[in-house]
Amino acid sequence: MTRCPTHPGVVFRVTILEEHGISVTKAAKALGLSRTTMSNFCNGHTPCTPEIAQRIALSIESNVAVWINLQANYDAWFAENREKPHVEKLLITAA
C-alpha cells in the first residue's frame, strides 16, 4: 500500500459525526469520554484504543474489531514505511 490508511479517528469524525451532524462534544458525552480525548482521537492525534473501539461499537451498533483493525492497518503502514532499524538475522532451522 503506497498511501497511508486513514486514521480511525478521522474515519469516525467524517463518516459518523460529520455525516450525521454530531458535534465532538456530543459524541464525547455519549461515549463517556472527555472532550479533549474525543477531539484528539477525531483529529488523528491519539490511537483507537480497545476502550475507545468498544465505546464506539456500542454507541453505533458496530463491531469492535472494525475499529481495532483500522488502527492496526494505520500502525502497520507506519511500521513498514519508517526507517528500518539495524537488526541481526535469526537463523531458524527445522528440527
Side-chain angles (χ1 to χ4, degrees), residues 1-5 72-82:
M1 178 182 292
T2 57
R3 184 186 75 78
C4 177
N73 290 335
Y74 182 81
D75 293 342
W77 187 91
F78 279 97
E80 291 287 335
N81 289 282
R82 68 174 160 237

Side-chain angles (χ1 to χ4, degrees), residues 19-84:
E19 291 237 347
H20 299 282
I22 301 168
S23 70
V24 169
T25 302
K26 184 175 180 179
K29 185 174 181 179
L31 271 63
L33 300 170
S34 72
R35 190 195 182 291
T36 301
T37 297
M38 179 92 318
S39 178
N40 286 334
F41 172 67
C42 288
N43 288 303
H45 300 304
T46 57
C48 185
T49 64
E51 178 187 2
I52 291 174
Q54 181 184 40
R55 290 170 183 269
I56 290 171
L58 289 169
S59 73
I60 64 169
E61 297 182 359
S62 178
N63 186 306
V64 174
V66 169
W67 300 97
I68 297 287
N69 288 332
L70 286 170
Q71 185 65 51
N73 290 335
Y74 182 81
D75 293 342
W77 187 91
F78 279 97
E80 291 287 335
N81 289 282
R82 68 174 160 237
E83 186 176 331
K84 307 295 187 250

